[in-house]
Amino acid sequence: MLKNKKILVTGSSGQLGKTLEKKSMDINSFKWIFLPKEKLDITKMSQIQNVFSKHSPSFCINCAALTDVTKSEKDPSLAHKINVEGVKNLTRVCNYSESILIHISTDYVFDGTKKKPYLENDKANPLNAYGKTKYLSEKYVVENAKFGYVIRTSWLYSKNFGHNFYRNILREASTGNEIKVVKDQYGTPTNTKKLVEFIMKIIISLPKKGIYHCAGDEVMSWYEFAQKIVKENNYSNHITPINSNSAGVKRPLYSPLRNSQI
């Protein structure tokens, strides 16, 4: 039934897009179209329409986003343009084309005051511009997409691709220097491989549309995550725990996600 269906991946040059591309080599039952932002700018409706007209994808996995939390805070209009208006464009074209939209969101839609892992129906209350734009985008998908899924994830990282905490710590560890890491923010670090497997389960099983959570199984602080990274790569750097900088961007102090069952 799904054989030869086309899957479009937007923002394909990021860590999740690259992981999907690697996974696609093992899955020959679908036809994949990977488009980085240079080839598909989701803020431009005409570009999306042209791509859908050319390829007629059955699924669209939206990995395109401004995920830099600090940059989003400094330029909230840019964050809104990409993370909200871009997603509205995709939703409208997916609706017109009867394509299934799979939109990736974040634990940063929550304020971190719950002290227990968040469920899909917990109330969102984002603390910063990035979280606010991601919340607005997922709200739009849930309310307006004919065939739409929102997958929230937490502290996403790839060991092989992109700019992320895991690779940053490895780079620091290779210098042999002391590493200072925040100790008072907790989440559920999520390998992109796990998120890709979850996305494929969505595509194959097509559960009820709505919001789903996919995150790592361990709740830990950035400090504890850094310790784990250093240890599993056989480095011996001293890691110094520090408190969050309250003068910086507000971030949820506790935002683990409880995984959805499909």
Side-chain angles (χ1 to χ4, degrees):
M1 190 75 175
L2 290 171
K3 191 169 178 60
N4 294 324
K5 295 278 188 180
K6 293 180 182 178
I7 302 175
L8 168 66
V9 180
T10 67
S12 65
S13 60
Q15 59 176 346
L16 181 56
K18 287 293 186 185
T19 308
L20 278 161
E21 192 166 5
K22 186 175 182 182
K23 179 68 175 178
S24 73
M25 297 175 187
D26 301 324
I27 305 174
N28 54 19
S29 53
F30 297 102
K31 293 182 178 178
W32 296 81
I33 304 110
F34 293 94
L35 295 180
K37 62 183 178 182
E38 294 79 14
K39 293 188 177 180
L40 176 57
D41 181 347
I42 65 169
T43 68
K44 294 182 168 60
M45 178 66 90
S46 60
Q47 288 191 19
I48 300 173
Q49 290 170 329
N50 288 340
V51 165
F52 273 71
S53 177
K54 179 180 179 181
H55 296 289
S56 300
S58 298
F59 298 90
C60 175
I61 304 171
N62 181 37
C63 303
L66 178 59
T67 59
D68 187 319
V69 177
T70 303
K71 188 174 181 179
S72 296
E73 203 69 20
K74 290 179 179 177
D75 195 348
S77 61
L78 178 63
H80 192 275
K81 182 179 180 182
I82 298 170
N83 293 346
V84 182
E85 296 305 320
V87 175
K88 287 182 179 180
N89 291 341
L90 276 177
T91 302
R92 290 165 185 151
V93 177
C94 281
N95 282 350
Y96 180 80
S97 306
E98 298 199 336
S99 300
I100 295 170
L101 176 62
I102 299 173
H103 175 58
I104 308 302
S105 193
T106 172
D107 57 319
Y108 271 42
V109 302
F110 298 114
D111 60 18
T113 60
K114 185 183 175 187
K115 302 306 178 189
K116 287 196 297 186
Y118 282 92
L119 307 174
E120 298 88 345
N121 58 358
D122 282 331
K123 185 180 179 182
N125 185 34
L127 300 177
N128 52 49
Y130 169 66
K132 288 172 184 174
T133 59
K134 294 300 286 185
Y135 170 63
L136 289 173
S137 67
E138 66 176 42
K139 188 170 183 286
Y140 188 86
V141 171
V142 168
E143 292 177 354
N144 295 279
K146 289 181 184 177
F147 318 99
Y149 298 96
V150 171
I151 303 176
R152 291 185 186 133
T153 193
S154 169
W155 295 16
L156 193 63
Y157 72 92
S158 166
K159 295 182 179 182
N160 305 110
F161 307 115
H163 303 286
N164 58 64
F165 183 82
Y166 191 100
R167 287 163 62 82
N168 287 343
I169 292 296
L170 269 191
R171 190 162 50 248
E172 287 293 316
S174 68
T175 67
N177 296 332
E178 173 193 15
I179 305 172
K180 295 181 180 180
V181 184
V182 168
K183 68 175 183 180
D184 56 359
Q185 293 175 27
Y186 288 81
T188 30
T190 312
N191 193 311
T192 51
K193 289 182 179 179
K194 177 170 185 174
L195 181 53
V196 164
E197 293 294 340
F198 190 82
I199 291 169
M200 294 313 300
K201 281 177 71 176
I202 291 276
I203 288 172
I204 291 166
S205 64
L206 294 179
K208 181 182 176 182
K209 71 175 189 174
I211 297 174
Y212 293 84
H213 285 179
C214 175
D217 296 318
E218 291 184 78
V219 176
M220 63 182 77
S221 67
W222 287 119
Y223 168 68
E224 291 166 334
F225 189 26
Q227 287 183 308
K228 182 178 179 180
I229 295 166
V230 167
K231 183 178 180 181
E232 74 178 29
N233 288 281
N234 298 312
Y235 286 108
S236 56
N237 306 63
H238 179 69
I239 303 177
T240 303
I242 60 174
N243 289 320
S244 300
N245 180 4
S246 58
V249 181
K250 285 186 177 179
R251 300 167 190 258
L253 294 181
Y254 190 93
S255 58
L257 301 178
R258 175 74 59 82
N259 280 306
S260 302
Q261 299 300 318
I262 299 179

